Amino acid sequence: AGSQIQGTASTPRRSRRRKSVAIAYDPGQGDGAEPRRPRWEPPAWQEQLQRIREMRRGRDAPVDEMGVHKCYDSSAPPQVRRYQVLLALMLSSQTKDQVTSAAMLRLRRRGLTVDSVLQMDDETLGQIIYPVGFWRNKVKYIKQTTAILKQKYGGDIPSTVEELVQLPGVGPKMAHLAMHIAWDSVAGIAVDTHVHRISNRLKWVKKETKNPEETRVALEDWLPRDLWKEINWLLVGFGQQTCLPVNPRCSQCLNQDICPAAKRL
């Protein structure tokens, strides 16, 4: 949203020299006013996006078959489903989808609720979620977060990004995905390592970004809001199958001729 200019309540004094106030006009509006410059956007991004959609048409990447949106019990009550989504997201950090999915299945067999996790001792929880990445830390974070959810939110999860990121072990990417999947609300773009890497390779950022959070801010500055929810699963699957971290399969990529990175990789 553009910035708004607020007027003062009192009547302005008449003076010989009038202060010039910059007013942003929409293109084609205003009496002789200079049109507002279009917001920056990457060249050829729409064509690149359409080709990625084509490559992702099969929806057969690990994220499609075993991503967080597939890990929760769809028959459980809404509050339990939302808790399971958040737990799957916490387990998924620096962990392959296959490993996260298997850990969630083992947890669900034990009856995965706020109360069941609180009643579980740390050793048992660790045995169930192993071998997810950093499983010892995740045991601690899961227990702390679950206790907060019980005490502060009545066993549900927060419904804002600001509250979600305050929970132990929950970062911005998880918070935005939790909003997408658990609450069906788009508050921002969920950026993981795949989205971060591909956005920089395609030059979808004005200048190179150093981390996923910088990439999120850069993408949200120009990418149309109606694409914010779609872009995560599109790029994650694309990154898992084609635009790999090491040795990307440029020869198989439909964007090979219009990707800035393809020529030097």
Side-chain angles (χ1 to χ4, degrees), residues 187-261:
I189 300 172
V191 177
D192 70 346
T193 54
H194 293 293
V195 179
H196 171 62
R197 177 179 72 256
I198 294 166
S199 295
N200 277 275
R201 284 180 176 174
L202 290 173
K203 302 295 185 188
W204 281 8
V205 289
K206 274 187 184 181
K207 60 181 181 179
E208 186 177 355
T209 50
K210 297 177 182 177
N211 55 60
E213 186 61 8
E214 284 188 8
T215 301
R216 180 187 67 79
V217 174
L219 287 175
E220 288 178 5
D221 188 54
W222 67 267
L223 189 69
R225 197 179 181 91
D226 61 352
L227 299 176
W228 286 12
K229 189 172 183 178
E230 176 191 23
I231 206 68
N232 178 269
W233 80 263
L234 269 179
L235 296 190
V236 170
F238 179 53
Q240 290 176 334
Q241 293 182 309
T242 307
C243 199
L244 307 175
V246 180
N247 299 321
R249 298 166 180 164
C250 295
S251 61
Q252 301 173 21
C253 181
L254 298 180
N255 278 324
Q256 186 183 18
D257 61 327
I258 54 174
C259 173

Side-chain angles (χ1 to χ4, degrees), residues 77-231:
Q79 185 168 307
V80 175
R81 291 202 303 265
R82 290 190 286 268
Y83 174 65
Q84 292 184 0
V85 167
L86 183 62
L87 223 63
L89 287 165
M90 294 177 73
L91 293 175
S92 70
S93 175
Q94 296 181 283
T95 302
K96 290 185 179 297
D97 289 326
Q98 298 92 322
V99 178
T100 300
S101 178
M104 282 295 294
L105 189 58
R106 292 192 295 271
L107 281 168
R108 284 170 53 190
R109 284 174 181 156
R110 302 282 296 248
L112 183 52
T113 65
V114 164
D115 290 334
S116 71
V117 170
L118 288 176
Q119 292 164 10
M120 201 179 296
D121 61 71
D122 290 6
E123 184 179 355
T124 300
L125 180 57
Q127 289 172 349
I128 294 173
I129 69 171
Y130 179 84
V132 299
F134 302 98
W135 63 272
R136 288 186 180 87
N137 286 336
K138 289 177 182 178
V139 166
K140 179 178 67 175
Y141 293 145
I142 286 170
K143 281 303 202 67
Q144 291 174 347
T145 285
T146 304
I148 293 170
L149 298 180
K150 176 77 171 180
Q151 295 162 8
K152 190 175 178 180
Y153 298 97
D156 209 336
I157 72 170
S159 58
T160 67
V161 169
E162 292 75 20
E163 290 175 293
L164 284 163
V165 295
Q166 296 299 316
L167 297 171
V170 178
K173 181 208 76 171
M174 298 181 208
H176 285 293
L177 278 176
M179 293 298 295
H180 294 183
I181 302 168
W183 292 110
D184 193 26
S185 174
V186 181
I189 300 172
V191 177
D192 70 346
T193 54
H194 293 293
V195 179
H196 171 62
R197 177 179 72 256
I198 294 166
S199 295
N200 277 275
R201 284 180 176 174
L202 290 173
K203 302 295 185 188
W204 281 8
V205 289
K206 274 187 184 181
K207 60 181 181 179
E208 186 177 355
T209 50
K210 297 177 182 177
N211 55 60
E213 186 61 8
E214 284 188 8
T215 301
R216 180 187 67 79
V217 174
L219 287 175
E220 288 178 5
D221 188 54
W222 67 267
L223 189 69
R225 197 179 181 91
D226 61 352
L227 299 176
W228 286 12
K229 189 172 183 178
E230 176 191 23
I231 206 68

